[in-house]
Amino acid sequence: MRKRVASGLVSMAMAITAHAATTTTSDVPTARGTIRIAHYRPDVPLANLYVMSGGFGVLRLQSDGSGTDENFVFSPLIRNRQSLLDAGYSLVMIDAPSDMLAAGIPFAHRTTAAHSAELLEVIRFVQQRDNLPAWVMGFSAGGPSVGNLAIEAPASTPFGVILLSPNTGVDPHLLSLNLGAINRPVLLLTHTLDSCTGTSPSNGPVVMSRLTGSGGRRHVAATGGSFGSRGGGCDSTGYHGYGGNDTLLMAELVDFMRHNAGFVQAPNYQGLWWRSPAQLENGWGVNVTVQGSILFATWFTYDSDGSGMWIVMSRGDRVSEGVYSGDLFRTTGPRFDLTPWAGTVAVTPVGRATFTFTDSNNGTFAYTLNGITQSKPITKQQFDELPACIVGVPHTATPNYQALWWSSPANSESGWGVNIAHQGNIVFATWFTYDASGRGQWLVMSRGDRTGPGVYTGELFRTRGSAFNLDPWVGTVTVTPVGSGTFTFSDPENGTFRYTLDGVTQTKPITRQVYSGPVTVCR
């Protein structure tokens, strides 16, 4: 099947494979021709792993996703492809560019800006389908291409680096690069007996010693095992490509990608934030939801009399990268237990705020509220492992419920809601609603433990604290138990909120609030 697209000619062939995965081959247009890729994709991928192969980089990919060159046939990534798919990772095998294939020119050694630019085109092409954390692997002589790409690519294109059995003995190009300029996570995988690393098995540590830039660093040197020599080239021992230590290879690869996902994706700010450094002003916070270019923030703090008050920025528009600004409002409405809850809510403008984020976990909250102007450094509140939040991806088989929730069906009780921060097996819920006088009040479930599939239960508390504008904010907060709550999720988008508050027991159907697109999904 061939079709014309604006950026050039793309040919595709698809075949359904076993284990709920698809294989797609594509000819990606670049400035110098095309690059063929084979994309092996599980139904719900967690990340994309792009592979630059060794030798001359030639795979000779076919329309069904197979390859006829020995770089494909003997590739440890192809050999372990199903393990990657089962772990939730897409595999993207990158063939040699069409112009170099036609001319018979080796490309894996190329460290030119033009070659880096066409590799970025491949990444952009795949990321348009799956906006996921990206990892780029250089296997053997593919290492210099990936190393140079990691140096030259703009920070606005985030990805991590994996170097598998870099061929530093026969091919010195990798060691000639300024590896200290790589400010991305790097996983280095070598074998102590690999003949392709030169006469000394210390080349792995040499490469590692030069990776001095920011980002996570890990070197795992395998010993023992042997997949058997292919013969020819530098591979005289059979230890090149990790020596057949496939279990170790997959374990280290998946573990590193999983635990460094937050560093290799576009920043996302969805979650629960508080004053930085953590614990400095324990007792107030801001819940942030991001959908498209709009940020919805709910600020939980205290009025001049010490009672809890919540302020909402229902539309914070993105004014530049990482900067969102919008009006602040305070609302009054029907008491929480009114049945039916007729949402007669009054909204009053009370100020304006700007969020300026430096990365996914740090930023500044500047505001003017009731004529008082202040600025606070903020950071994400972490009580377990932080999830990776990504725009425009599907939920996994084990959903994360971190989001802004309201009554179901949508808009049926507009004016109250629940912010949920979900980390590990714990949810932290902040419920913003109204007391008997119609004044806004907020309750917190600071620890909702998982008691079953999709079920989280914990105590509800009401707090009092120092007025929001106290400087320094000494955080004299009193916490009073007022009831309990249980969230039962029937699927990633819907559930129920059952609570007992001040002796009143009710159950509300809830759904994720969607106000723009694409939405953010946390994993």
Side-chain angles (χ1 to χ4, degrees):
M1 176 177 69
R2 292 185 180 273
K3 62 180 180 178
R4 179 72 61 179
V5 296
S7 57
L9 184 65
V10 178
S11 65
M12 293 188 174
M14 295 190 65
I16 304 299
T17 62
H19 306 289
T22 59
T23 298
T24 306
T25 61
S26 305
D27 291 330
V28 181
T30 71
R32 300 198 298 186
T34 60
I35 295 181
R36 174 161 284 193
I37 63 172
H39 184 187
Y40 313 98
R41 180 184 185 275
D43 276 355
V44 185
L46 299 172
N48 293 320
L49 173 61
Y50 301 82
V51 177
M52 294 288 297
S53 298
F56 292 165
V58 176
L59 302 176
R60 303 199 185 281
L61 292 172
Q62 306 300 300
S63 60
D64 64 353
S66 63
T68 60
D69 192 89
E70 68 170 10
N71 283 323
F72 182 93
V73 174
F74 291 100
S75 170
L77 281 307
I78 293 299
R79 187 169 70 242
N80 292 283
R81 175 176 59 189
Q82 194 58 52
S83 294
L84 279 171
L85 294 173
D86 290 343
Y89 291 88
S90 286
L91 176 63
V92 182
M93 300 295 292
I94 304 173
D95 211 336
S98 56
D99 62 327
M100 294 185 178
L101 274 174
I105 303 172
F107 94 107
H109 300 176
R110 296 301 179 94
T111 54
T112 64
H115 181 48
S116 293
E118 58 192 357
L119 294 182
L120 284 176
E121 287 300 316
V122 170
I123 294 174
R124 294 188 187 107
F125 179 88
V126 176
Q127 296 295 95
Q128 285 177 355
R129 176 183 183 181
D130 291 317
N131 180 33
L132 297 170
W135 295 88
V136 186
M137 172 185 282
F139 171 40
S140 187
S145 289
V146 171
N148 194 59
L149 173 65
I151 295 169
E152 294 193 354
S156 58
T157 305
F159 59 84
V161 175
I162 299 168
L163 299 174
L164 172 61
S165 300
N167 182 351
T168 53
V170 176
D171 178 10
H173 286 80
L174 181 66
L175 293 177
S176 69
L177 298 175
N178 179 17
L179 298 180
I182 299 178
N183 294 316
R184 305 169 186 271
V186 181
L187 173 63
L188 175 63
L189 299 168
T190 64
H191 196 290
T192 57
L193 300 177
D194 185 354
S195 61
C196 291
T197 60
T199 57
S200 169
S202 65
N203 274 350
V206 169
V207 173
M208 194 66 182
S209 70
R210 299 187 184 184
L211 293 167
T212 56
S214 61
R217 299 286 186 269
R218 181 166 171 78
H219 176 209
V220 184
T223 59
S226 176
F227 190 66
S229 174
R230 284 166 29 201
C234 68
D235 187 11
S236 61
T237 62
Y239 292 103
H240 194 52
Y242 228 49
N245 289 284
D246 289 358
T247 300
L248 177 62
L249 171 63
M250 289 298 103
E252 293 294 344
L253 189 58
V254 170
D255 182 74
F256 193 81
M257 290 192 294
R258 180 170 294 143
H259 287 94
N260 288 276
F263 298 100
V264 296
Q265 65 189 48
N268 193 281
Y269 315 112
Q270 187 151 305
L272 174 62
W273 296 73
W274 61 351
R275 176 71 154 82
S276 177
Q279 299 283 354
L280 183 62
E281 294 186 358
N282 189 8
W284 70 271
V286 181
N287 275 104
V288 168
T289 304
V290 179
Q291 297 178 13
S293 60
I294 300 173
L295 179 149
F296 188 118
T298 318
W299 177 17
F300 303 97
T301 186
Y302 305 94
D303 210 339
S304 57
D305 63 357
S307 63
M309 71 171 179
W310 56 270
I311 308 295
V312 65
M313 177 196 286
S314 54
R315 185 186 179 106
D317 290 302
R318 184 171 61 202
V319 296
S320 61
E321 185 61 40
V323 181
Y324 298 79
S325 189
D327 292 325
L328 296 175
F329 301 92
R330 192 169 185 178
T331 64
T332 58
R335 57 180 293 157
F336 75 93
D337 57 347
L338 186 65
T339 304
W341 198 84
T344 308
V345 175
V347 180
T348 304
V350 290
R352 191 167 177 84
T354 297
F355 291 88
T356 303
F357 300 102
T358 54
D359 56 44
S360 293
N361 299 314
N362 298 280
T364 303
F365 174 36
Y367 53 84
T368 297
L369 174 60
N370 296 333
I372 298 170
T373 298
Q374 292 181 309
S375 180
K376 303 266 190 177
I378 55 174
T379 188
K380 275 188 180 169
Q381 184 169 344
Q382 182 171 1
F383 48 86
D384 206 315
E385 185 173 358
L386 285 170
C389 298
I390 310 168
V391 171
V393 298
H395 296 282
T396 64
T398 54
N400 183 285
Y401 304 107
Q402 183 158 295
L404 173 62
W405 297 74
W406 63 349
S407 184
S408 178
N411 280 312
S412 60
E413 295 185 357
S414 180
W416 71 270
V418 181
N419 283 107
I420 291 179
H422 183 185
Q423 299 174 21
N425 288 321
I426 302 171
V427 300
F428 187 119
T430 320
W431 175 19
F432 52 101
T433 184
Y434 307 92
D435 62 17
S437 69
R439 178 173 170 167
Q441 66 167 341
W442 57 273
L443 297 306
V444 64
M445 179 192 290
S446 55
R447 184 184 179 105
D449 289 302
R450 184 178 183 272
T451 57
V455 181
Y456 299 81
T457 299
E459 287 189 275
L460 293 174
F461 301 91
R462 182 181 286 117
T463 63
R464 293 181 60 86
S466 304
F468 76 93
N469 60 319
L470 188 65
D471 188 18
W473 197 85
V474 294
T476 306
V477 176
T478 59
V479 180
T480 304
V482 291
S484 63
T486 296
F487 293 94
T488 303
F489 300 101
S490 55
D491 59 50
E493 304 290 337
N494 299 282
T496 59
F497 176 33
R498 179 176 175 81
Y499 53 83
T500 298
L501 172 60
D502 295 333
V504 177
T505 298
Q506 291 181 309
T507 299
K508 300 271 192 179
I510 56 174
T511 189
R512 291 190 191 233
Q513 183 168 345
V514 178
Y515 55 83
S516 186
V519 300
T520 293
V521 170
C522 297
R523 300 170 154 196

